[in-house]
C-alpha cells in the first residue's frame, strides 16, 4: 500500500539498491577510488597501521586491513546502509567536519558494485563479525575470531556494471594510481605505518616516524627530499606548512605537487596558483616545482562537501588562503634561493644549486632524520653555492644566477579557472635570431 502511494504516478522513489548503484557511479570511478574511501575510513577509525593488498592493480582484489577501533556486529551491518555514519549527527555538524568521511555513502556504494567481505572486531568485543555482501546484499553474517580492527576485501569490482568495467585500464596503470594515492597518505600521515603490496611484491612502506620528511624521502626519493626547503606561515585562522623545491629541481607537470587541506589530499586551483605565483620569474615556462603543501584551517572556514569524491574543497576566503600559501612559499624562496634571470653580463653557475643532506642538516650524519630542517644551514649553504656560481663566468651563455635578485614577486588575483592552454601572444614583427642551450629562442622585436 505504502509502495503504491509512493509510486502512484510517473515519478517513483528508487529502491535502496538502485540508489546505491547510482551513488557508486559518482564515488567509485576505479580501484584507486575504493582504496581512497577504505583508507580514509581506517584513518578515521584511529588506525596506526594500514595494509593495502592488491591483485591485478585492484581489479581482482583490494584488501585493506587496519588496527583501528573496529566495528561491533550491529555497526558493521549498519555501515552498509546508505547515509549511515558515525561521523556526523546533524546538518549542523557539516559546518565543522573533523573527519575524512561524513556522508555515509562509501561502503554501500562500493558494496553495490562488487563482492565484498567485511571482518571487524570492536575494541570492546571479544568476538569479531564477518559479513559477505554481493552487489549490496548481505548473503552471510557470522561471528569470528579476529584481531581488533577492520579488514575489508573487495573482489570483482564493477562485475555488475559492464560499462565501468570496460573503462578500467591495465593493472599497471591502476596500480600506479593507487601507489600515488598511498604515497600521498603516507606523507600526510607520517605517524601511520602504510604498507602497499601488489601480488607478491611490496610496492611501498612508510616507517611511521612522525616526520613528514622521512615519508617524503620514502615516497619521492632521497634526491627530491634533499632539495626541499620547509615553508611556514600562520594566521589566526590557518597554518601553512610543508616543503617546496629548490628552483633547480623542477618537473614538467604538477604530479609532484601534493596538497592537503586538514589532512585531506585535494586539488586546489587556489593553492597551485599561489605556488606558481611565488615561483614566477624563477622557473622556465612549463616547468613546475615539487611542492608539498599542508593547509590546516579551522574547519568552519572550509567546505569539504563540494565534490563527489571530496577531491576539492571550498574555502570561505580563497583569497586569504592564496595569500598565506604565497607568503609561505615566497618567504622560503627569498631566504634560500636565487632566481635564474637573463642578464646583459653573462655568467652562469658552475653547478646547480643542489644541497647535500649534510648541508641541509650539518649536525646529522644520516639523510633526513627526525630532526627539524636547519634553515640557517640551508640558507648559508645556498649563499655559499650562489657565490661560487657567480664567480664562474661564461661569456657564451647569457643565463645567470643573479646575486641578490631573489624572486621577482607580485601577487596577482586568484584565477577564476585554471587553464592548461598556453597564453596566446601577438607576435607582430618578431624576428628569431638564435637559440641558447637548446631551450630558449632568442628573438628581436621592433
Ligand atoms: N575501517 C573502519 N573501522 C571502523 N569503522 C569503520 C571502518 N570503515 C567504516 N566504518 C564505519 O562505517 C561507517 C560507514 O562508512 P562509510 O565510509 O560508508 O561512511 P563515512 O565514512 O561515514 O562517510 P563517507 O561516505 O563520506 O566516507 C563509518 O561512519 C564508520 O562508522
Ligand atoms: Mg568513509
Amino acid at each position: 500500500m505504502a509502495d503504491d502511494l509512493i509510486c502512484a504516478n510517473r515519478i517513483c522513489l528508487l529502491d535502496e539498491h538502485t540508489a546505491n548503484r547510482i551513488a557508486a557511479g559518482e564515488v567509485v570511478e576505479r580501484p584507486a577510488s575504493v582504496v581512497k574511501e577504505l583508507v580514509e575510513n581506517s584513518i578515521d577509525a584511529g588506525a596506526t597501521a594500514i595494509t593495502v593488498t592488491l591483485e591485478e592493480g585492484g581489479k581482482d582484489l583490494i584488501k585493506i586491513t587496519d588496527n583501528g577501533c573496529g566495528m561491533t556486529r550491529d555497526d558493521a551491518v549498519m555501515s552498509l546502509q546508505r547515509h549511515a555514519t558515525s561521523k556526523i549527527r546533524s546538518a549542523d555538524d557539516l559546518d565543522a567536519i573533523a573527519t575524512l568521511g561524513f556522508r555515509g555513502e562509501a561502503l554501500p556504494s562500493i558494496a553495490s558494485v562488487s563482492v565484498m567481505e567485511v571482518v571487524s572486531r570492536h575494541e570492546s568485543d571479544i568476538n569479531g563479525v564477518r559479513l559477505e555482501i554481493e552487489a549490496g546484499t548481505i548473503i552471510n553474517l557470522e561471528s569470528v575470531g579476529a584481531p581488533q580492527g577492520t579488514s575489508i576485501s573487495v573482489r570483482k569490482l564493477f562485475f555488475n556494471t559492464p560499462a565501468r568495467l570496460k573503462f578500467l585500464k591495465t593493472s599497471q596503470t591502476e596500480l600506479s594510481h593507487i601507489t600515488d594515492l598511498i604515497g600521498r597518505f603516507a606523507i600526510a600521515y607520517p605517524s601511520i605505518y602504510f604498507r602497499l603490496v601488489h601480488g607478491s611484491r611490496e610496492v611501498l612502506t612508510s616507517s611511521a616516524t612522525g616526520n613528514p620528511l622521512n615519508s617524503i624521502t620514502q615516497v619521492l626519493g632521497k634526491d627530491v627530499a634533499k632539495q626541499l626547503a620547509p615553508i611556514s606561515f600562520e594566521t589566526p585562522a590557518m597554518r601553512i606548512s610543508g616543503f617546496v623545491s629548490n628552483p633547480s629541481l623542477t618537473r614538467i607537470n604538477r604530479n609532484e605537487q601534493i596538497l592537503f587541506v586538514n589532512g585531506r589530499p585535494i586539488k586546489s586551483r587556489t593553492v597551485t596558483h599561489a605556488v606558481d605565483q611565488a615561483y614566477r620569474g624563477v622557473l622556465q615556462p612549463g616547468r613546475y616545482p615539487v611542492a608539498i603543501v599542508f593547509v590546516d584551517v579551522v574547519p568552519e572556514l572550509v567546505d569539504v562537501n563540494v565534490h563527489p569524491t571530496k577531491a576539492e574543497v571550498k574555502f570561505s576566503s580563497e583569497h586569504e588562503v592564496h595569500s598565506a600559501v604565497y607568503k609561505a612559499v615566497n618567504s622560503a624562496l627569498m631566504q634560500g634561493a636565487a632566481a635564474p634571470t637573463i642578464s646583459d653580463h653573462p655568467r652562469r653557475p658552475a653547478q646547480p644549486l643542489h644541497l647535500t643532506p649534510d648541508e641541509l642538516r650539518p649536525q646529522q650524519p644520516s639523510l633526513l632524520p627526525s630532526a627539524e630542517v636547519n634553515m640557517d644551514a640551508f640558507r648559508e649553504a645556498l649563499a655559499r653555492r650562489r657565490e661560487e656560481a657567480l664567480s664562474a663566468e661564461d661569456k657564451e651563455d647569457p643565463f645567470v644566477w643573479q646575486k641578490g635578485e631573489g624572486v621577482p614577486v607580485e601577487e596577482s588575483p586568484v584565477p577564476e579557472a585554471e587553464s592548461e592552454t598556453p597564453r596566446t601572444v601577438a607576435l607582430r614583427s618578431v624576428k628569431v635570431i638564435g637559440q641558447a642551450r637548446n631551450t630558449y629562442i632568442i628573438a628581436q622585436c621592433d
Side-chain angles (χ1 to χ4, degrees), residues 37-38 41-42 44-45 66 69-71 79 84-87 100-108 150 152 310:
E37 293 299 336
L38 299 183
N41 281 344
S42 299
D44 283 344
D66 71 50
C69 63
M71 287 183 274
S79 72
T85 181
S86 57
K87 299 170 192 176
L100 296 172
F102 57 90
R103 291 184 182 153
E105 279 196 331
L107 286 190
T150 303
I152 298 186
K310 306 180 197 115

Side-chain angles (χ1 to χ4, degrees), residues 213 225 227-233 240-246 292 328-333 335-336 360-361 372-376 378-379:
L213 261 182
Q227 294 188 72
L228 298 178
I231 59 168
S232 172
F233 186 79
I240 311 298
S241 57
F243 300 88
V244 293
S245 63
N246 179 313
I292 295 109
V329 178
N330 180 47
S331 126
L333 290 173
Q335 290 173 59
L360 270 171
R361 289 200 198 81
E372 289 294 298
V373 169
N374 182 337
M375 264 311 279
D376 289 343
F378 181 77
R379 268 176 240 136

Side-chain angles (χ1 to χ4, degrees), residues 74-114:
D74 287 351
D75 277 352
V77 173
M78 190 71 171
S79 72
L80 295 160
Q81 298 220 11
R82 192 135 184 258
H83 306 310
T85 181
S86 57
K87 299 170 192 176
I88 61 169
R89 284 284 175 264
S90 73
D92 291 345
D93 296 337
L94 285 173
D95 297 332
I97 288 171
T99 47
L100 296 172
F102 57 90
R103 291 184 182 153
E105 279 196 331
L107 286 190
S109 301
I110 298 164
S112 74
V113 291
S114 68

Side-chain angles (χ1 to χ4, degrees), residues 203-257:
V203 181
L204 196 150
T205 49
S206 68
S207 53
T209 59
N211 180 351
L213 261 182
N214 284 341
S215 311
I216 291 168
T217 306
Q218 278 155 350
V219 174
L220 299 180
K222 278 182 194 174
D223 289 344
V224 170
K226 71 187 180 189
Q227 294 188 72
L228 298 178
I231 59 168
S232 172
F233 186 79
E234 248 178 279
T235 73
M238 77 188 73
R239 176 164 196 273
I240 311 298
S241 57
F243 300 88
V244 293
S245 63
N246 179 313
S248 60
L249 176 71
T250 60
R251 297 288 186 245
I252 54 163
N253 56 37
R254 295 184 198 279
N255 286 355
E256 288 181 15
Q257 294 192 351

Side-chain angles (χ1 to χ4, degrees), residues 70-226:
M71 287 183 274
T72 62
R73 185 187 179 100
D74 287 351
D75 277 352
V77 173
M78 190 71 171
S79 72
L80 295 160
Q81 298 220 11
R82 192 135 184 258
H83 306 310
T85 181
S86 57
K87 299 170 192 176
I88 61 169
R89 284 284 175 264
S90 73
D92 291 345
D93 296 337
L94 285 173
D95 297 332
I97 288 171
T99 47
L100 296 172
F102 57 90
R103 291 184 182 153
E105 279 196 331
L107 286 190
S109 301
I110 298 164
S112 74
V113 291
S114 68
V115 173
M116 187 191 258
E117 180 195 63
V118 178
V119 177
S120 193
R121 181 169 72 79
H122 190 257
E123 50 199 348
S124 62
D125 291 342
I126 294 166
N127 282 322
V129 60
R130 177 171 171 273
L131 295 95
E132 286 175 77
I133 310 109
E134 219 174 278
T137 304
I138 298 176
I139 54 169
N140 187 31
L141 170 64
E142 60 185 352
S143 277
V144 289
Q148 184 198 312
T150 303
S151 176
I152 298 186
S153 305
V154 176
R155 291 174 205 274
K156 295 191 183 176
L157 183 63
F158 300 137
F159 79 100
N160 52 352
T161 52
R164 260 302 141 94
L165 189 61
K166 251 193 239 157
F167 166 85
L168 291 181
K169 301 283 187 281
T170 63
S171 301
Q172 205 47 45
T173 302
E174 298 302 339
L175 172 65
S176 77
H177 284 284
I178 296 170
T179 308
D180 185 61
L181 178 77
I182 297 300
R184 284 164 195 248
F185 276 121
I187 291 171
Y189 294 90
S191 300
I192 298 180
Y193 169 76
F194 286 93
R195 181 162 183 254
L196 172 61
V197 179
H198 186 236
S200 56
R201 190 166 67 92
E202 190 168 82
V203 181
L204 196 150
T205 49
S206 68
S207 53
T209 59
N211 180 351
L213 261 182
N214 284 341
S215 311
I216 291 168
T217 306
Q218 278 155 350
V219 174
L220 299 180
K222 278 182 194 174
D223 289 344
V224 170
K226 71 187 180 189

Side-chain angles (χ1 to χ4, degrees), residues 345-353 384-402 437:
H345 312 287
R347 274 176 285 170
R348 75 172 168 186
Q351 51 187 310
L353 294 175
R384 207 167 48 244
R385 286 295 183 84
R386 206 180 304 144
E387 287 301 326
E388 285 167 20
L390 287 165
S391 63
E393 296 225 343
D394 180 348
K395 297 216 163 23
E396 282 164 27
D397 193 312
F399 298 94
V400 303
W401 292 85
Q402 258 191 355
R437 296 171 73 181

